[in-house]
Amino acid sequence: MTQAPAAPKTVRRRHDREIIALAVPAFGALVAEPLFVMVDSAIVGHLGTPQLAGLAVAAALLTTAVSIFVFLAYATTAAVARRVGAGDLAAAIRQGMDGIWLALLLGVAVIAVTLPTAPWLVQAFGASDTAAPYATTYLRISSLGIPAMLIVLAATGVLRGLQDTRTPLYVAIGGFAANAGLNAGLVYGAGLGIAGSAWGTVIAQVAMAAAYLVVVVRGARRHGASLRPDAAGIRASAQAGAPLLVRTISLRAVLLIATAVAARLGDTEVAAHQIVLSLWSLMAFALDAIAIAGQAIIGRYLGADDAEGARQACRRMVQWGIASGVVFGILIVACRPLFVPLFTSDSAVHDTLLPALLVVAVSQPIAGVVFVLDGVLMGAGDGTYLAGAMLVTLAVFAPVALLVPIFGGGLTALWWAMTLMMTIRMLTLWLRMRSGRWLVTGATR
């Protein structure tokens, strides 16, 4: 006697519970990371303007260096989740260890490049003569923590793949608290200045990496998974991550082009753009939490050979993305009078950013679909398609954005170009989702 299929409402509730259980802690962990930079800025800012300017340049370089390797988290999540779905926890953790070893190797390579080239990088980024020495000091010291930062990315991917987003939240909270305490103590208590801030961040990141490794090593021993580096496994992790690296670099290029265009529009426009971009990024963190849930859930379903379950979960997460986007859009419009004065008292900046904020509000449902489908396809291991789709998006966005100042457009026109970019991403991802070609089942893709 065959079992009757679950009622649609029951299925939706099950998916909702899974999404909430994974997305809420993931959001907390995502928000904790930018708080590191905020704490550093608040503490270093009291040392003086040159020190703060130096921190801004060095932090931007570090963020770029680390963010392009975010595939360490994304690819590892998908690969581990597939093996969890297939019921092979030992292989899942083994796969995760390959990602962690790859992170360590990449981190060492980044240090080897950054230490000798730090002054040149700072100068190329446009640091002033007074800020450059502080930027170089911070960059050189902080670069020593890059292997730990990349290990944190990979280990986070392991735990997400194991359907655990609570541990990354706890580690992120502990790391944030340690970073704040160490920075205050080393900058002012020990009198190390901006170097103290850099060392505080390094120590906090190393502690976070150690906490993750303790959790992963315990899991490996419990399930009999090897901890030794495996050349073939590391190479496979790198190959799986390469398309996502292309996708991430293309996305970073979009954001850099947008900022460069805003700078050409004038000081008022670029100041307003920075505020709008900060808010857009905050909304992105919230939507990315659903995407992270998607990576873990979709990978698990496909690993368990349940293509229909993956399809249903995808459909439900898209509904969540649209609903979240609508809510965020309404909040942006309703709360404009409250949060805009927190950023600036310049009336010209106010007048410039308000229309752009309306564009961002309108585009939030589109962003909701984009982030969810991005996570779904990452969870399916469909990195090659994601890379190609993002390159197409960049190819369309770049000339449109560069034409904005030529035709006399302002910041609002630039953000309409950003909305066009998100719309193209939505269409390319939607077409892939509708095709069903991403529904490749099995413990490996």
Side-chain angles (χ1 to χ4, degrees):
M1 181 176 179
T2 59
Q3 187 176 3
K9 184 178 290 187
T10 302
V11 173
R12 286 197 300 271
R13 286 176 178 170
R14 184 177 72 245
H15 289 316
D16 289 346
R17 286 195 297 269
E18 287 184 326
I19 293 167
I20 292 171
L22 292 172
V24 173
F27 174 68
L30 287 168
V31 171
E33 188 61 31
L35 290 176
F36 271 70
V37 178
M38 289 180 63
V39 168
D40 288 1
S41 300
I43 293 174
V44 171
H46 291 287
L47 294 174
T49 299
Q51 289 90 334
L52 183 58
L55 172 65
V57 171
L61 287 166
L62 281 168
T63 300
T64 300
V66 174
S67 65
I68 63 174
F69 295 117
V70 73
F71 72 85
L72 289 166
Y74 294 160
T76 303
T77 297
V80 171
R82 276 184 175 269
R83 285 164 174 76
V84 169
D88 192 348
L89 289 177
I93 296 174
R94 172 67 263 177
Q95 179 75 38
M97 286 304 305
D98 292 335
I100 290 173
W101 281 112
L102 175 61
L104 179 61
L105 293 174
L106 290 172
V108 171
V110 173
I111 288 178
V113 172
T114 304
L115 284 178
T117 62
W120 179 84
L121 290 170
V122 167
Q123 185 179 16
F125 211 79
S128 67
D129 291 341
T130 54
Y134 297 110
T136 301
T137 296
Y138 190 93
L139 181 59
R140 277 181 166 159
I141 296 173
S142 292
S143 68
L144 300 177
I146 288 178
M149 296 178 194
L150 299 188
I151 288 173
V152 166
L153 284 178
T156 300
V158 176
L159 295 181
R160 289 173 181 169
L162 293 171
Q163 317 296 296
D164 176 10
T165 56
R166 290 183 179 273
T167 300
L169 173 61
Y170 300 147
V171 174
I173 292 172
F176 169 72
N179 181 65
L182 286 166
N183 269 260
L186 294 174
V187 171
Y188 297 113
L192 296 180
I194 195 169
S197 177
W199 280 117
T201 300
V202 169
I203 294 169
Q205 292 287 354
V206 169
M208 291 173 66
Y212 275 117
L213 290 175
V214 167
V215 175
V216 174
V217 168
R218 283 178 179 172
R221 288 175 175 169
R222 185 164 57 251
H223 297 287
S226 173
L227 297 173
R228 294 179 179 178
D230 176 67
I234 294 171
R235 188 165 53 250
S237 294
Q239 290 171 346
L244 294 180
L245 176 62
V246 173
R247 166 207 168 269
T248 302
I249 291 175
S250 300
L251 181 56
R252 295 292 301 182
V254 165
L255 299 177
L256 287 173
I257 289 170
T259 300
V261 170
R264 291 178 63 187
L265 295 175
D267 290 347
T268 298
E269 284 76 9
V270 75
H273 173 75
Q274 185 59 36
I275 296 171
V276 177
L277 184 61
S278 298
L279 182 64
W280 185 83
S281 299
L282 178 61
M283 299 298 101
F285 278 125
L287 295 171
D288 203 29
I290 304 175
I292 287 170
Q295 293 171 31
I297 293 170
I298 295 299
R300 192 189 75 235
Y301 273 116
L302 293 178
D305 295 321
D306 188 356
E308 182 56 31
R311 193 189 300 273
Q312 291 175 355
C314 172
R315 187 179 302 118
R316 188 57 177 165
M317 280 183 280
V318 169
Q319 293 170 353
W320 269 76
I322 294 172
S324 299
V326 170
V327 171
F328 292 157
I330 293 172
L331 286 174
I332 290 171
V333 174
C335 297
R336 282 184 307 161
L338 299 176
F339 63 75
V340 169
L342 297 176
F343 291 95
T344 180
S345 58
D346 189 324
S347 59
V349 175
H350 276 204
D351 295 340
T352 302
L353 71 83
L354 289 178
L357 280 178
L358 290 177
V359 176
V360 172
V362 169
S363 69
Q364 285 306 294
I366 297 173
V369 176
V370 168
F371 278 91
V372 167
L373 291 182
D374 209 36
V376 165
L377 296 184
M378 283 182 190
D382 205 10
T384 301
Y385 182 84
L386 289 171
M390 198 62 229
L391 286 172
V392 169
T393 302
L394 175 61
V396 175
F397 169 77
V400 172
L402 294 173
L403 286 172
V404 168
I406 293 175
F407 285 95
L411 186 66
T412 302
L414 175 60
W415 275 93
W416 276 120
M418 289 286 286
T419 301
L420 171 66
M421 179 271 295
M422 294 297 289
T423 302
I424 295 168
R425 289 187 70 191
M426 182 182 70
L427 291 175
T428 56
L429 297 175
W430 183 266
L431 288 172
R432 186 64 167 181
M433 188 272 289
R434 293 284 293 175
S435 73
R437 294 177 183 175
W438 57 279
L439 288 165
V440 179
T441 59
T444 58
R445 183 177 172 86

